[in-house]
Amino acid sequence: MKTQNWNELEVPLSDPVLKTVEELKYPYMTPVQAASIPLLLKGKDVAAEAVTGSGKTVAFVVPVLEILQKRKETWKPMEVGAIIISPTRELAVQIHQVLEKFLNNLPCLKQMLLVGGVTIAEDAERLKAGANIIVATPGRLEDILSNCKSINLAARVKSLEILILDEADRLLDLGFSTSLDTILSYLPRLRRTGLFSATQTKELQQLIRAGLRNPALISVKEKPNISTPSNLINNYTIVMNAEYKFSTMIDFIQQKGTNLKYMIFLSTCAYVDYFSDIVQEMLPSVKVLAIHGKMKNKRYKIFDEFRRIESGILICTDVMARGVDISEINYVLQYDPPCSASSFVHRCGRTARIGNKGSALLFLLETEDAYVDFIKRNQKVDLEKIDIEPSIPLYEKCLKSMRDLQKKDRLLFDKANRAFVSYIQAYNKHECNLILRLKDVDLGKLAMSFGLLRMPRMPELKGRDTSSFKQLEDIDVNSIAYLNKQKEQNRLAKLKTFQDSGVWPTTTICKRKHKQTEPWSATKKRKLEKQENRKKRKEKKIKQKLSTNLTKKPKRKISQQDIEELAKDVALIKKLKKKKISQEEFDNAFGIDRS
């Protein structure tokens, strides 16, 4: 499809959805809507790629509702006509809310949201009331289709008219492929299928796996060779010294204004847990919220709160990078390069949505400057450099605050160490590890940016020069206590056991004691012994099998002569049945004496 500015395309929508579209502030069709809706309504399968914030949700919600309404037979409460699958709870909830506004004008159709957070039994009970449209995450939908026999959802989806995969490139990757394969095995083949994403995959095998037949491929971009909205300003800054990285980000937020809305993307869950505390400490007047994938029941409440507030900071992992629509995000700050190149575009797309202006800033270390050219070539995103001079007084203030927080509460000490360890491990496994190499990073200075009290012990630090790390001389980390009295009592009890026995006691789970820790050499020896025993058992099994085969009597082979004689006997029986020979002739041929 020819690329064009979506603001220039004004195609009015038809009733009964016109009123709802106006309420959603979508008075006209965007290009992805104008291209996708007619094709889906004509019965075509569609694979659509469009920049973030271009109205993809409405592009599939409208045809879903039109298709279901056009069926001559009235939909029964237990019949499922449409399924919309999204990779995250937040995105599924958002689609559910958009659908809800449309369905206020269409009481003949009902929808159901299946995203976890409650038990399968609770979802099954709600499904008994009926649903014509299901919005779900892959894992929960797979569970209900495969394991919940009480409602037999597999039988209800036999009338399915249309399947939508939102953020299709992520749904088709390895993380969701097994669940998706299971789901597709339950769905009828005669259906319409739509794939929507900001970074659509074009591999034919993946499209076939999703059940598409001769799909119409739609690519809508505001400008040729640009993967992000034209209203988005993409910048990057080089932090020359790793220890100034955190203070540089705080300085940037203070300069731009604490009355704005920011999203800060980090690489790991532990990183988010720690940074949300220290950012709040450095910016006490700002509302700081945190979301990551390990939060199960809290995630949507936090997400909803951030959507409602006028200003604040949301610190998150890539779980919030796709599809979620939060109004008036002023800045997206990528504190470190995302694990995959496509995630870069999705992160940036949280701002500058539906024609609004927005900015994104990527923080890079001096050793990571090659990432700028990589993103330009891989994702067709041009980044403009801005210079932010580090403030030494602010750095010293940040460092002191981080270390003071850890000394006050051991929980923060634990969080800081987990954050650093998880960051190093994630960096070492980065998709772009040819240009983002851990060996190029000064880990001592990096640890200073985390405000660590001491360098943790981990394999990645073995043989590395960490002399640039300035450890506090007057601190005994064993003396740092938890503010939580129960946790502190448990720690002191373990510390006493360790001082007495030299072995740190492990936590028991389900009243089952874990093995005590053992030296690495003993672990290796035990592993080699297991391998040797396994090898001996295998050899013994092979010998037993050979011995058994030798003692068995060989089976008699059927020769060609036996086959020929059998064929003659069959021919004689047929001749007797057809009365071509007499009984006497038959008896003589078989040597039967009837005297």
Side-chain angles (χ1 to χ4, degrees):
M1 178 181 174
K2 185 180 177 182
T3 60
Q4 53 191 309
N5 189 320
W6 65 264
N7 289 316
E8 295 174 0
L9 190 65
E10 299 185 352
V11 185
L13 290 170
S14 60
D15 288 329
V17 297
L18 179 58
K19 181 183 175 185
T20 310
V21 171
E22 286 175 346
E23 289 171 356
L24 289 168
K25 299 180 182 179
Y26 286 38
Y28 302 102
M29 282 192 185
T30 65
V32 68
Q33 294 162 10
S36 304
I37 292 172
L39 289 170
L40 285 168
L41 292 177
K42 287 176 184 176
K44 293 279 187 181
D45 287 346
V46 169
E49 174 190 11
V51 294
T52 57
S54 57
K56 291 187 290 295
T57 303
V58 172
F60 59 76
V61 164
V62 169
V64 162
L65 297 174
E66 290 282 349
I67 288 166
L68 297 190
Q69 284 187 100
K70 283 181 179 178
R71 197 177 83 151
K72 292 179 181 179
E73 300 86 4
T74 305
W75 286 96
K76 297 174 185 176
M78 301 301 176
E79 277 186 303
V80 177
I83 292 177
I84 302 171
I85 302 175
S86 91
T88 66
R89 292 184 188 186
E90 288 75 21
L91 186 50
V93 170
Q94 187 174 285
I95 295 166
H96 169 77
Q97 289 173 343
V98 173
L99 260 173
E100 201 167 33
K101 293 184 179 180
F102 282 94
L103 293 176
N104 288 335
N105 300 325
L106 302 170
C108 56
L109 296 173
K110 291 178 66 178
Q111 68 159 326
M112 185 69 68
L113 179 67
L114 304 174
V115 294
V118 295
T119 63
I120 292 180
E122 288 175 300
D123 275 341
E125 193 62 33
R126 290 191 304 122
L127 275 168
K128 287 178 182 177
N132 309 118
I133 304 169
I134 288 177
V135 182
T137 49
R140 177 47 59 102
L141 184 58
E142 180 195 14
D143 273 348
I144 292 178
L145 279 168
S146 304
N147 305 321
C148 194
K149 305 300 179 185
S150 61
I151 57 165
N152 194 11
L153 185 59
R156 296 189 186 187
V157 299
K158 287 183 178 178
S159 302
L160 190 79
E161 291 277 350
I162 183 167
L163 168 69
I164 300 294
L165 303 181
D166 195 18
E167 299 299 340
D169 57 334
R170 185 170 177 187
L171 285 170
L172 290 170
D173 71 13
L174 292 175
F176 293 99
S177 61
T178 305
S179 294
L180 193 62
D181 286 340
T182 304
I183 291 166
L184 292 174
S185 69
Y186 286 98
L187 305 183
R189 291 188 177 182
L190 293 175
R191 64 168 190 272
R192 275 159 280 198
T193 305
L195 278 66
F196 291 81
S197 182
T199 52
Q200 185 65 266
T201 179
K202 291 183 174 64
E203 283 81 359
L204 182 61
Q205 289 301 317
Q206 289 183 317
L207 295 177
I208 292 170
R209 282 184 58 251
L212 273 71
R213 299 178 303 279
N214 299 319
L217 299 175
I218 298 169
S219 182
V220 178
K221 295 179 181 177
E222 297 180 14
K223 290 183 181 179
N225 301 321
I226 294 180
S227 301
T228 54
S230 58
N231 295 335
L232 175 62
I233 300 169
N234 270 308
N235 294 319
Y236 76 97
T237 187
I238 300 292
V239 182
M240 303 301 288
N241 192 327
E243 62 187 318
Y244 298 146
K245 191 175 182 183
F246 177 72
S247 60
T248 301
M249 184 185 71
I250 295 296
D251 191 22
F252 177 83
I253 294 171
Q254 288 176 337
Q255 286 181 24
K256 295 299 178 183
T258 54
N259 60 333
L260 302 177
K261 225 168 181 178
Y262 299 85
M263 285 184 77
I264 302 174
F265 283 96
L266 303 176
S267 54
T268 72
C269 300
Y271 209 178
V272 170
D273 278 337
Y274 175 55
F275 263 51
S276 58
D277 289 325
I278 60 175
V279 170
Q280 186 68 81
E281 179 71 13
M282 295 308 303
L283 303 170
S285 63
V286 181
K287 181 72 173 178
V288 178
L289 301 169
I291 288 182
H292 57 70
K294 290 183 180 177
M295 293 177 177
K296 297 300 178 185
N297 300 325
K298 294 185 199 173
R299 254 167 51 188
Y300 183 69
K301 289 181 182 178
I302 298 168
F303 168 62
D304 192 48
E305 183 181 357
F306 186 67
R307 289 176 72 178
R308 286 187 282 103
I309 60 177
E310 291 183 5
S311 63
I313 298 173
L314 179 66
I315 302 176
C316 55
T317 58
D318 284 339
V319 74
M320 294 295 291
R322 289 174 176 259
V324 293
D325 189 14
I326 303 172
S327 62
E328 298 175 359
I329 296 290
N330 301 100
Y331 284 93
V332 168
L333 306 181
Q334 302 194 53
Y335 192 72
D336 38 47
C339 61
S340 67
S342 62
S343 292
F344 181 91
V345 172
H346 289 287
R347 283 179 173 188
C348 295
R350 296 317 96 214
T351 185
R353 298 180 69 79
I354 311 296
N356 294 319
K357 292 183 179 180
S359 300
L361 176 62
L362 172 66
F363 292 85
L364 294 173
L365 300 177
E366 189 179 12
T367 57
E368 299 170 338
D369 59 345
Y371 190 76
V372 176
D373 187 56
F374 167 76
I375 283 296
K376 183 177 180 179
R377 293 170 182 274
N378 190 281
Q379 293 295 314
K380 299 175 183 175
V381 178
D382 285 313
L383 299 175
E384 293 292 329
K385 185 180 180 182
I386 61 170
D387 294 319
I388 305 173
E389 288 296 324
S391 168
I392 306 302
L394 181 59
Y395 160 69
E396 291 173 349
K397 182 182 176 182
C398 289
L399 180 63
K400 185 177 184 304
S401 296
M402 287 188 280
R403 286 181 161 176
D404 286 347
L405 278 174
Q406 293 176 62
K407 286 188 279 186
K408 286 177 186 175
D409 187 359
R410 192 176 190 86
L411 182 62
L412 266 296
F413 172 76
D414 291 343
K415 282 185 178 182
N417 283 278
R418 280 198 293 267
F420 180 75
V421 169
S422 68
Y423 174 80
I424 295 297
Q425 290 173 342
Y427 199 95
N428 208 21
K429 297 174 183 176
H430 202 285
E431 183 187 73
C432 305
N433 56 15
L434 290 176
I435 57 175
L436 303 179
R437 301 184 300 180
L438 187 63
K439 66 179 183 179
D440 295 335
V441 180
D442 187 327
L443 298 184
K445 289 182 177 179
L446 186 68
M448 292 297 288
S449 74
F450 281 74
L452 299 188
L453 298 180
R454 68 172 184 188
M455 289 295 287
R457 294 177 182 177
M458 54 187 302
E460 289 82 358
L461 299 182
K462 192 175 181 181
R464 294 294 301 271
D465 178 16
T466 58
S467 58
S468 54
F469 179 73
K470 299 167 188 175
Q471 186 167 321
L472 288 177
E473 300 293 337
D474 58 342
I475 185 72
D476 176 14
V477 292
N478 285 329
S479 66
I480 301 172
Y482 289 108
L483 287 180
N484 184 299
K485 292 181 180 179
Q486 185 63 48
K487 283 179 74 72
E488 180 58 16
Q489 285 177 3
N490 291 340
R491 186 186 76 89
L492 291 173
K494 289 178 180 179
L495 186 60
K496 188 176 185 307
T497 305
F498 174 72
Q499 290 169 345
D500 294 341
S501 64
V503 178
W504 188 267
T506 55
T507 307
T508 56
I509 300 174
C510 300
K511 297 181 181 179
R512 187 172 59 187
K513 291 184 178 179
H514 289 280
K515 292 180 181 178
Q516 298 292 338
T517 55
E518 59 183 356
W520 174 82
S521 57
T523 305
K524 187 175 181 181
K525 183 181 177 183
R526 186 162 46 80
K527 187 177 179 181
L528 290 171
E529 285 175 356
K530 280 186 177 180
Q531 289 175 349
E532 188 64 30
N533 290 337
R534 197 181 295 118
K535 187 179 177 182
K536 286 179 180 178
R537 286 197 300 270
K538 194 172 181 180
E539 288 174 353
K540 187 178 178 182
K541 194 174 180 180
I542 292 169
K543 286 179 182 178
Q544 286 177 346
K545 195 171 182 180
L546 287 170
S547 176
T548 306
N549 290 339
L550 289 170
T551 55
K552 281 183 180 178
K553 291 182 179 180
K555 292 182 179 178
R556 179 177 173 270
K557 292 183 179 180
I558 299 173
S559 64
Q560 185 62 32
Q561 186 179 353
D562 292 335
I563 293 170
E564 289 173 359
E565 287 180 2
L566 182 62
K568 287 179 183 178
D569 292 344
V570 171
L572 285 170
I573 292 169
K574 286 182 178 179
K575 284 182 180 180
L576 179 65
K577 282 186 176 180
K578 292 179 180 180
K579 296 183 179 179
K580 289 183 179 181
I581 60 172
S582 64
Q583 184 67 47
E584 187 178 352
E585 288 173 323
F586 179 80
D587 291 344
N588 289 336
F590 271 86
I592 300 171
D593 185 8
R594 294 185 182 274
S595 58

